Amino acid sequence: MGTRAATTRRSFLAVAGVAAAGLAVDAYAGHRPQRAVGRLVRTAGGLQERPRDGAREGSRPDSRPAAVRLLAAPATVDLGGRTVSTWTFNGELPGPELRLRVGEVLRARLENRLPAATTVHWHGIALDNRMDGVPGLTQSAVAPGQGFDYEFSVPDPGTYFYHPHVGLQIERGLYGPLVVEDPGEVVRYDHEAVLILDDWTDGVGPSPEAILANLQRGGMRHAGQAGGTHHGHHGAGAAATFDPTSPLGADAGDVRHPLYLVNGRSPRSPTVLRGRPGERIRIRIVNTAADTAFRLAVGGHRLKVTHADGFPIRPVTGDALLIAMGERYDVQVELGDGVFPLVALAEGKDAQAFAVVRTSLGATPRANVRPAELDRWVVTVADLDAAGAVDLGRRPVSRTHRLVLDGNMATYRWTINGHAHHGAAPLAARQGERVRLVFENRSAMFHPMHLHGHTFQVRRAGERRPGPRKDTIIVRPLERVTVEFDADNPGRWMLHCHNAYHQAGGMMTTLAYEP
Ligand code: C2O
Ligand code: CU
């Protein structure tokens, strides 16, 4: 620790950046240098905040690294041409990037200065159940003015994110990326970027609570327009070439949001990714939206998809990629020479999020450009197979749970096996079992179903191909999807739709088993 205390800020940032992933972070400062990798430091003991006063660092009595501080509080943020009051972590949108190595311990101190109780859930991490951040299930909600210390190790490398697990708080600005690095990473790249996709209404359109109330009153579609705002306010959503067909079916969302963001930036003042022609960039993409699946493409480029929900797949190269709420994908892009649009089409909503990939001088593309790649081969989970190292393999299934997903816009009550909220007994399992889940969607909307604490494997009828490992899986209208997991992480775990409004409307259950 003493050596670090003597390091200057500049070299410290450089060291932290290089240590993070062997990347030249400086060359890739891109959009928001204030939340670059160098803000948080990995140490042997975990993740820690850069000491404000280095000289005092050596005097910590227990010599354990300080916890990362996550201050949940109201804040004013600039979405790019539009300033809004919302709720964030540490005043930033997205919240601070947390980055550590597989097997390390994350220590995070949540301080709640919101006017409401909250928690932090570490989405996708197979962590200690007590740290999972689900109020009423794994902890008590943290009251205003109170705090909570999260401490857990991260067993699997990959791209994750964190968000509260209370009401519609994820629909505000309370989210941030969590990256677990793999020292044995085989994917080679020159730069790395994390992009968080979001749909946004808070402070621009009606509040999330007003939207939900509106939906529950009678299923009014596109409640985001009810407050007198409309998409395309910035000229970004007004793509005249809108195509209503979606790989998710005709009804791909309930709420038309006024804005769609990449890393907290609206199309008017977009996130910019920089690099040099010929370089390979790894983009970690997180969809934290409440009600929006995105179809992402980079104009003039193909996407080599390498990871799904953090876990490696056999790489697939396509033109675009479908990403539902709660899903994460890592893609590799070999940069061309020029200035290119990165577009995340909001499925079924006639609007898009927008960022820029820039390797040379030149004019920025129009924010409503629709790259041809969006209408070519859209990679979906059906195209993906687990990489050999993470294939769960076949073994006898000890028990099968059938989960019928239903609901409708008229009542806005969303159910699993006929029950809403926690009306059903928890799904049972025994430690060590291979468990199968069969999702049957009887509704007219897709549901991205997310299981906490585990990463299941997708099984396809009549196919021997190993499906991808996932923690969030799209179940399309009238579709049946089978997944399997090993019950190797006892506790009480949520299983729910990651559409925030469907979840609030009841589409959730739990899985529980003892050690
Ligand atoms: Cu990201 Cu239970 O959720
Ligand atoms: Cu749903």
Side-chain angles (χ1 to χ4, degrees), residues 430-443:
R430 249 192 256 280
Q431 164 104 333
E433 286 182 339
R434 170 66 55 92
V435 180
R436 179 177 288 166
L437 304 177
V438 181
F439 298 101
E440 281 179 42
N441 186 356
R442 298 226 181 119
S443 73

Side-chain angles (χ1 to χ4, degrees), residues 414 446-449 497-499 502-503 507:
W414 296 96
F446 82 98
H447 304 287
M449 299 303 297
C497 177
H498 219 280
N499 180 312
H502 293 187
Q503 188 180 353
M507 192 169 264

